Amino acid sequence: MEMTSLKQAMQIHAQIIKGGNDNPHELSKVFAFSALSPSGSLPYARSIFDSLHTQNSYFFNTLIRGYAKSRDPTQALLFFIAVQQHEQSVKPDKFTYPFLFNACSRLRANGEGKQFHALVCKSGLHLDSFVQNSLIHFYSCCTELEYAKGMQSHHVDPNDATVVSVLRACADVGAITFGKKIHQIVEQNNLLSKTNVVTALIDMYAKCGCVDIALQLFKETIHKDVYIWTAIISGLASHGQCQESIDLFHQMEIEKIKPNERTLTAVLSACRNMGWVNQAYKIFNDMEKTHGITPNIQHYGCMVDLLARAGHLAEAENFIKRMPIEPDAVLWRTLIWACKVHGETDQGERLMNQNLLQTGSADSGNYVLLSNVYASAGKWREKARVRELMTKRRIDKLPGCSMIEVNGKIQEFMAGYSNHPEAEKIYRKWVEIEERLVTEGYSPDLSEVLLDIDDEEKAFQLSHHSEKLAVAFGLINTKPMDRILVVKNLRSCKDCHSAMKLVSKIYGRDIVIRDRIRFHQFKNGFCSCEDSW
């Protein structure tokens, strides 16, 4: 009989105990249901494991697998360590370590994963293809792409899941050089027939600023599923090719490919990026009627973002209030940020107090936003109180971070960062760049520095934004005709945006910056976003 609830599993377990005969087959079914089913219970599975007279590898690995995919993957590591401390511990095998590496991937636990890698090598399991692929997945997820190159030197034949993991890692950090090498491996191993691999390739090329290659790959693919269509529609939208994105969506409808939730998010993002309010409303209102898709928080978020950017702040607030689902903090922050941008600081402060601060959340984004709202209104005393509150509650602000790939290596820069081996050279380069920018009419937009300091210090702060340091490094270390791609974790500020337009013109360089919102392709003094982002 198939188990469907924890209560049922517990009843079967009770019968096994009453019978006085631990039926291994029935007990393993109860145990697996408790450890792996969404309706199960990991604590109950652990109690079964602890009660076993003989703890074998099946029960050991199953529980690690359950912990690894749970909300708290840390428990997988703690359980492994606890069991290994016993004298008669279960010996880990080729199935144990892939589950541990999965937990480390989800936790981004680089150090712990490397320790497990050492144990794998000591046990001789590093030659097993199953373990090798899980290692590649781990190092890719933790953006340790140099380690993932074990794949070629040890002649590992990657499967589609491994390739997808590596491509996603390349997409996250903008590692186009390594991504192209993975594309070659895909072709050598005849993996282009796998739609998940093609989807990951299209996504990687788009997120690495090569949307033209992504589009060509899309056109060359004969059998396209909804995920492949969604990847290219999203990629085009993020690059500002929004009409092409929506045209492909309509072509998808003509070809009777049913869109999913992510497809509609991509299409609404295209409308948001171009400020197409009426078109977005039509697509949003047709979601359920035409496609049978109930709008989720991402779809509502796109609409609120669109209305807020367009300056329809009251309409955006009413839209949120009419939502049939609970708005999240990100959605409120979107509207509050727009209030700051459009000078409606009273509305922003009211919305912040009503909808975010009363929750007592430790999310730094809420406090930083309120701090910026006060600063933009010149309320420095109120801003200082917010900062003091952050210090008291030990809430840290997420620092600006930019990454650039040069010669196959990822370089990372933090705002005001000075520990880079080439730091002195980089800062000198930006001073040189800024001198040339001034001759073209550039002056720092000091309004972007929301600190109560003098103008000279504000200008200094602006010159040390992370994407400026990354671009300076790129100009030093790349050839005159090379394109510069920078990936940033936060939204670009107006000053950096203005500066990059002029840098592209003065140095004759194509500069691509992928910020938290979208791509900015700077060329000949212009940006693909048309100064709207």
Side-chain angles (χ1 to χ4, degrees):
M1 182 175 63
E2 187 176 346
M3 282 168 272
T4 58
S5 69
L6 179 61
K7 182 178 180 181
Q8 188 181 24
M10 293 172 73
Q11 289 172 343
I12 295 172
H13 189 201
Q15 291 171 5
I16 293 171
I17 295 172
K18 282 182 180 178
N21 180 21
D22 287 357
N23 184 319
H25 178 67
E26 287 300 319
L27 186 61
S28 65
K29 285 170 63 178
V30 171
F31 181 77
F33 178 86
S34 302
L36 304 177
S37 172
S39 304
S41 165
L42 279 164
Y44 191 73
R46 179 64 182 269
S47 69
I48 295 175
F49 181 87
D50 290 340
S51 69
L52 294 172
H53 297 300
T54 304
Q55 298 169 336
N56 61 35
S57 61
Y58 170 78
F59 289 92
F60 178 57
N61 291 337
T62 300
L63 194 49
I64 289 178
R65 179 185 175 190
Y67 281 134
K69 63 183 250 186
S70 72
R71 290 184 179 180
D72 184 14
T74 308
Q75 295 304 315
L77 314 187
L78 296 176
F79 173 67
F80 174 85
I81 294 168
V83 172
Q84 295 308 302
Q85 287 175 342
H86 288 90
E87 290 184 8
Q88 296 180 336
S89 62
V90 182
K91 186 178 180 180
D93 56 26
K94 67 177 183 179
F95 299 107
T96 311
Y97 289 108
F99 298 138
L100 291 170
F101 287 129
N102 181 42
C104 291
S105 298
R106 293 186 60 205
L107 293 165
R108 298 295 189 266
N110 297 36
E112 289 80 356
K114 288 176 182 177
Q115 291 177 45
F116 288 128
H117 189 175
L119 291 176
V120 163
C121 292
K122 286 181 181 179
S123 65
L125 291 171
H126 60 289
L127 299 176
D128 180 82
S129 61
F130 189 45
V131 174
Q132 287 175 336
N133 279 313
S134 66
L135 266 169
I136 295 165
H137 172 79
F138 159 68
Y139 281 121
S140 299
C141 287
C142 295
T143 64
E144 298 259 13
L145 297 178
E146 289 299 314
Y147 286 99
K149 289 179 180 178
M151 184 160 57
Q152 289 175 287
S153 59
H154 289 89
H155 306 290
V156 179
D157 291 328
N159 57 26
D160 57 324
T162 304
V163 165
V164 168
S165 297
V166 179
L167 288 171
R168 284 176 180 165
C170 293
D172 286 345
V173 298
I176 184 62
T177 303
F178 193 54
K180 286 181 176 179
K181 289 180 180 178
I182 300 302
H183 191 172
Q184 292 174 355
I185 293 170
V186 165
E187 292 178 335
Q188 291 164 5
N189 288 272
N190 299 315
L191 291 174
L192 278 177
S193 60
K194 303 282 188 178
T195 55
N196 60 337
V197 173
V198 176
T199 302
L201 276 169
I202 290 172
D203 184 62
M204 182 276 293
Y205 278 119
K207 287 181 177 175
C208 289
C210 300
V211 73
D212 52 338
I213 301 178
L215 187 58
Q216 185 61 36
L217 183 59
F218 171 81
K219 290 176 179 178
E220 291 172 355
T221 303
I222 298 173
H223 301 292
K224 306 179 182 75
D225 64 7
V226 62
Y227 301 104
I228 291 176
W229 281 92
T230 300
I232 193 62
I233 289 170
S234 177
L236 289 167
S238 67
H239 279 268
Q241 299 182 30
C242 299
Q243 187 59 59
E244 294 89 338
S245 175
I246 290 177
D247 288 344
L248 272 180
F249 173 64
H250 292 317
Q251 183 62 35
M252 178 182 176
E253 291 179 305
I254 291 170
E255 297 192 19
K256 306 296 183 185
I257 305 293
K258 184 177 173 60
N260 60 24
E261 291 182 345
R262 291 187 178 183
T263 316
L264 271 300
T265 300
V267 176
L268 289 172
S269 296
C271 295
R272 175 198 63 192
N273 289 345
M274 295 306 294
W276 293 336
V277 174
N278 293 335
Q279 193 162 357
Y281 263 125
K282 184 180 186 311
I283 292 169
F284 182 84
N285 292 332
D286 285 348
M287 280 180 60
E288 203 153 10
K289 180 174 61 177
T290 304
H291 304 295
I293 296 174
T294 302
N296 61 28
I297 195 69
Q298 283 77 30
H299 304 128
Y300 285 105
C302 285
M303 292 300 298
V304 170
D305 196 7
L306 169 60
L307 293 169
R309 289 178 192 224
H312 306 325
L313 302 180
E315 185 178 351
E317 183 176 350
N318 289 330
F319 186 90
I320 295 175
K321 291 177 178 176
R322 294 195 306 268
M323 284 170 49
I325 59 177
E326 189 73 20
D328 61 8
V330 175
L331 200 149
W332 283 117
R333 285 204 295 261
T334 298
L335 177 55
I336 293 166
W337 178 262
C339 290
K340 169 192 168 296
V341 171
H342 291 284
E344 297 293 338
T345 52
D346 289 342
Q347 182 184 0
E349 186 177 352
R350 172 176 59 80
L351 291 173
M352 176 66 76
N353 288 318
Q354 288 177 353
N355 301 289
L356 291 180
L357 293 188
Q358 84 282 4
T359 64
S361 168
D363 189 333
S364 65
N366 295 344
Y367 295 88
V368 171
L369 180 53
L370 180 60
S371 173
N372 289 342
V373 168
Y374 283 137
S376 64
K379 298 180 178 180
W380 301 111
R381 186 173 298 175
E382 290 85 346
K383 174 186 167 69
R385 279 206 298 267
V386 175
R387 292 294 182 177
E388 288 171 7
L389 189 61
M390 290 177 69
T391 301
K392 182 179 179 181
R393 296 183 178 178
R394 298 182 180 179
I395 298 171
D396 295 323
K397 176 185 176 183
L398 180 68
C401 171
S402 294
M403 291 178 285
I404 180 173
E405 182 196 48
V406 174
N407 298 324
K409 292 186 177 180
I410 302 295
Q411 304 284 339
E412 190 171 12
F413 296 90
M414 308 289 281
Y417 181 64
S418 59
N419 293 330
H420 193 278
E422 298 183 45
E424 188 177 342
K425 190 189 298 185
I426 293 167
Y427 289 129
R428 280 204 311 267
K429 183 65 176 179
W430 185 256
V431 170
E432 171 209 304
I433 293 169
E434 207 163 50
E435 287 173 353
R436 296 188 65 179
L437 292 179
V438 170
T439 64
E440 292 287 330
Y442 165 79
S443 62
D445 188 345
L446 302 181
S447 67
E448 285 293 308
V449 182
L450 300 175
L451 298 171
D452 190 15
I453 53 179
D454 61 40
D455 287 356
E456 185 177 349
E457 180 62 24
K458 286 184 178 182
F460 178 81
Q461 292 273 349
L462 284 175
S463 69
H464 287 69
H465 279 191
S466 63
E467 63 262 59
K468 289 175 178 171
L469 300 178
V471 168
F473 178 84
L475 288 171
I476 293 169
N477 292 283
T478 59
K479 297 175 184 176
M481 298 302 292
D482 287 351
R483 187 191 62 165
I484 293 174
L485 169 65
V486 174
V487 176
K488 187 179 179 183
N489 66 332
L490 301 176
R491 184 178 184 268
S492 288
C493 76
K494 286 191 296 182
D495 181 75
C496 286
H497 194 267
S498 300
M500 292 309 158
K501 287 197 295 184
L502 288 173
V503 171
S504 72
K505 177 183 176 183
I506 294 169
Y507 288 86
R509 289 292 196 101
D510 288 357
I511 299 173
V512 179
I513 294 183
R514 190 182 92 200
D515 71 7
R516 187 174 57 82
I517 303 295
R518 62 178 296 174
F519 275 87
H520 300 270
Q521 295 177 295
F522 301 96
K523 188 173 184 178
N524 298 326
F526 297 93
C527 180
S528 60
C529 78
E530 299 181 1
D531 298 339
S532 174
W533 78 98

